[in-house]
Amino acid sequence: MKNLIDILELSTEELDELIALAEDIIARPEKYRESCRYKKLATLFFEPSTRTRLSFEAAMYELGGQVLSVSSGSSSSAAKGESVADTAKTVSCYADIIAMRHPKEGAPLVAAMNATVPVINAGDGGHNHPTQTLADLLTIWREKGRITGLTIGLCGDLKFGRTVHSLIAAMARYPGNRFVLISPEELKLPSYVKKDVLKNRNIPYTQTTDLEGALPELDILYMTRVQRERFFNEEDYLRLKDSYILTPEKLEKASKTLSILHPLPRVNEISVGVDADPRAVYFKQVLNGKYMRMALILKMLEVEV
Ligand code: CP
């Protein structure tokens, strides 16, 4: 695996191997403590992040490696007009692997085409977020004991939510999964995702605006934030931002075995009252993200443990 730009670059066998490796890291962390000694990860984040950047960095430190970090576009020579291609060539001189987040869709791919070290897409615009999907898959696996035969509800901003696009692409390849797409009309799943991933492959899905009506049939509820930074006008954002707010009262209609995921950050779409519900697993999902990024770094650097 040279780069990871889109989750579809990983076969289901490779996804299963990453999950198995993450499980081994969780069970035997001491075995991996020196695995990346003398290796350096560069985190190049041209868009804000808490979880993705810090979990990549924590992952590399826990593997015994080191980290070089750009935490905003304004603190690098991108602010002086340097291209993504030149940035990638430059950082390849210092680091063994690069994780890049960028507001422009396709920027990590451009970086990968110009870097001489592996590049991981850590989120590009409203497009893809493959390592969030790795965190989501490990979470579903750990909560359900399988990633097949599930009814998965995705709720909120399905248009701009890159984590949604990557998760649907990944889960659609496992047998027996079906999707319930819950969003306002204006924030429906883009037709290219629907056509390429769902319709062309006869994956069952329904679309609705009604969260409460959909809740009883779900095994997984994947809540998402309305992505303010992707809107062209503030008025539309303000009108749509509170379309869905999950509360303990609404959850009374849900299955006792539901698992509630959210890639975070949360704004208002899950009330804090839900956090104490054992079905809320979004902070476990945060921790799972670190383990899957450890597994990914080991695989991409081809480290023998
Ligand atoms: N889930 C996620 O991408 O979070 P951050 O934006 O904090 O990295």
Side-chain angles (χ1 to χ4, degrees):
M1 190 192 319
K2 168 75 169 76
N3 303 295
L4 179 61
I5 304 302
D6 187 315
I7 197 71
L8 292 177
E9 291 160 8
L10 294 172
S11 64
T12 52
E13 290 75 22
E14 286 172 315
L15 290 173
D16 295 345
E17 275 174 28
L18 285 169
I19 290 171
L21 181 54
E23 287 285 11
D24 198 53
I25 292 168
I26 293 167
R28 297 187 290 169
E30 66 291 342
K31 181 178 157 193
Y32 297 91
R33 254 179 220 140
E34 298 293 321
S35 307
C36 287
R37 201 164 155 79
Y38 306 120
K39 299 282 186 194
K40 292 189 286 286
L41 163 75
T43 50
L44 308 181
F45 276 60
F46 299 99
E47 210 182 45
S49 168
T50 298
R51 275 148 294 274
T52 311
R53 185 169 67 84
L54 297 184
S55 67
F56 261 117
E57 296 181 1
M60 195 54 164
Y61 285 126
E62 289 189 28
L63 293 169
Q66 292 171 309
V67 172
L68 312 171
S69 190
V70 168
S71 60
S72 72
S74 61
S75 66
S76 80
S77 284
K80 300 179 218 162
E82 185 164 54
S83 67
V84 168
D86 286 359
T87 301
K89 285 178 190 164
T90 302
V91 176
S92 298
C93 300
Y94 310 137
D96 300 286
I97 185 166
I98 295 170
M100 173 182 277
R101 172 170 288 188
H102 203 286
K104 283 202 184 132
E105 300 178 359
L109 176 61
V110 173
M113 289 160 65
N114 288 277
T116 55
V117 299
V119 173
I120 302 168
N121 179 3
D124 61 332
H127 193 214
N128 277 315
H129 194 347
T131 66
Q132 179 62 47
T133 305
L134 297 180
D136 302 342
L137 291 177
L138 181 61
T139 305
I140 294 170
W141 167 253
R142 301 206 99 209
E143 296 304 316
K144 299 290 178 209
R146 68 188 199 278
I147 39 186
T148 55
L150 295 167
T151 298
I152 303 140
L154 300 114
C155 177
D157 186 348
L158 309 189
K159 179 178 181 184
F160 297 116
R162 58 193 174 197
T163 64
V164 167
H165 306 162
S166 292
L167 182 60
I168 291 175
M171 291 296 284
R173 290 188 302 167
Y174 286 92
N177 290 327
R178 59 182 287 267
F179 299 90
V180 182
L181 308 173
I182 309 156
S183 74
E185 280 298 317
E186 295 96 322
L187 297 178
K188 279 162 87 171
L189 192 71
S191 46
Y192 79 89
V193 181
K194 237 179 303 185
K195 181 166 171 282
D196 296 351
V197 181
L198 300 175
K199 282 187 186 156
N200 281 356
R201 302 172 59 208
N202 290 322
I203 308 292
Y205 72 94
T206 55
Q207 295 190 102
T208 178
T209 55
D210 179 12
L211 170 61
E212 284 174 80
L215 270 175
E217 65 174 312
L218 303 181
D219 299 306
I220 306 282
L221 173 61
Y222 195 87
M223 291 296 292
T224 62
R225 170 179 72 91
V226 174
Q227 307 262 308
R228 180 181 209 151
E229 62 275 30
R230 316 269 176 238
F231 276 76
F232 290 115
N233 99 48
E234 181 74 1
E235 212 174 279
D236 285 347
Y237 168 72
L238 293 174
R239 184 167 50 79
L240 293 167
K241 73 183 174 73
D242 291 331
S243 299
Y244 301 101
I245 301 175
L246 189 67
T247 60
E249 295 70 37
K250 286 181 189 160
L251 276 171
E252 284 169 17
K253 296 197 174 99
S255 158
K256 295 280 174 271
T257 59
L258 176 73
S259 296
I260 306 161
L261 281 73
H262 189 311
L264 304 180
R266 146 178 71 183
V267 181
N268 206 24
E269 58 280 354
I270 301 182
S271 83
V272 290
V274 173
D275 295 2
D277 190 311
R279 293 171 290 184
V281 296
Y282 28 89
F283 288 107
K284 288 187 193 174
Q285 193 181 351
V286 170
L287 182 58
N288 289 335
K290 181 186 72 174
Y291 294 125
M292 278 304 248
R293 290 178 178 110
M294 290 172 81
L296 182 66
I297 290 168
L298 289 171
K299 284 279 182 201
M300 292 188 76
L301 289 178
E302 297 176 355
V303 173
E304 293 292 333
V305 184

